[in-house]
Amino acid sequence: MGSVNGAYYITKWMTRQDIRRLGSGNAGARNAGRELGKKGFLYTLFIDIAKVMIALSLTSLLFPENKIMLLVSAFFLLFGHIWPIHLGGRGGKGVVVYLASTLFFIPIAIIVLGLIVGISYLLIQNFTVSGLIAMLSIPVTAWILGEYYFEIGLFILLIIVFIPHLTRK
C-alpha cells in the first residue's frame, strides 16, 4: 500500500500529467499543492493518510498488541512511498506517511510537533527547516511517554524520511 502515491494519482487524474515532471519534481503533497492548488494538496493528503491508517489498522487487527509488526508495516509503507517500484523508485519524500504513522501510534506527538513547528517557524522563518526540526520531537515524545518500541522505530523511520530530503532537490 505504501507505493500508492496520492500526488502521482491525483495529478494524473486532474491533469493527465506526471507530478514528477512538474514543479520540484517530487511526488509529494507539497508539490501537488503548488501545482494543483488546495484541492490537489488535500486530495493527496487524504490518499496518503488513508493508506497509512488502513494498512496500520489491518496490521493491528491481524497482530493485536504487536508493536513490532506495526513498525514493520510503517517501514514498508514509508519505503514504498519514497521508492515505489512502479514509479521507478521516484516517489514522495515520506513526510505525510511518517506523520500519519505517528498519529496512529502516538497522537499526542503530533500536538507537540505542531507547537514546535509554530515556535521554530517564528524564529527561523523557514517552514521546511522548522518542520524537519520539529519531527525530531516525535521520537523524543515517544521516549518521554515510555513508548520504547515506538521511540526506536520512529527514530529509524525519521532517518529514512531525511534521506530523500538530503539527496533530492
Side-chain angles (χ1 to χ4, degrees):
M1 288 181 76
S3 64
V4 174
N5 184 289
Y8 178 81
Y9 293 114
I10 289 301
T11 305
K12 279 286 187 189
W13 174 64
M14 291 177 77
T15 69
R16 306 250 190 265
Q17 295 181 328
D18 185 339
I19 188 71
R20 298 167 305 158
R21 297 186 185 277
L22 303 173
S24 70
N26 182 46
R30 191 167 180 189
N31 194 32
R34 282 190 207 114
E35 297 301 314
L36 306 173
K38 287 181 186 177
K39 187 184 283 189
F41 177 77
L42 292 173
Y43 286 160
T44 298
L45 277 182
F46 176 78
I47 290 170
D48 289 345
I49 292 169
K51 77 177 175 190
V52 170
M53 294 303 174
I54 292 167
L56 293 178
S57 294
L58 289 173
T59 301
S60 186
L61 287 172
L62 293 171
F63 303 96
E65 305 296 320
N66 191 328
K67 292 179 181 180
I68 292 174
M69 288 305 293
L70 282 170
L71 287 167
V72 167
S73 184
F75 171 81
F76 281 113
L77 284 162
L78 186 61
F79 196 86
H81 183 82
I82 296 172
W83 298 286
I85 293 170
H86 72 289
L87 296 179
R90 290 185 48 228
K93 291 184 179 179
V95 172
V96 173
V97 172
Y98 180 70
L99 295 177
S101 296
T102 299
L103 180 62
F104 188 90
F105 299 147
I106 309 169
I108 196 152
I110 296 299
I111 295 168
V112 172
L113 172 124
L115 293 171
I116 293 172
V117 166
I119 292 166
S120 62
Y121 182 77
L122 289 173
L123 296 172
I124 60 177
Q125 299 292 301
N126 183 309
F127 181 74
T128 300
V129 174
S130 297
L132 292 173
I133 289 169
M135 285 195 302
L136 292 169
S137 72
I138 290 173
V140 173
T141 302
W143 175 72
I144 290 169
L145 294 174
E147 295 286 351
Y148 301 113
Y149 283 111
F150 290 132
E151 161 201 335
I152 294 165
L154 288 167
F155 182 71
I156 292 167
L157 291 171
L158 181 59
I159 291 169
I160 295 168
V161 169
F162 282 165
I163 293 169
H165 282 87
L166 297 172
T167 59
R168 296 182 193 167
K169 60 178 175 173

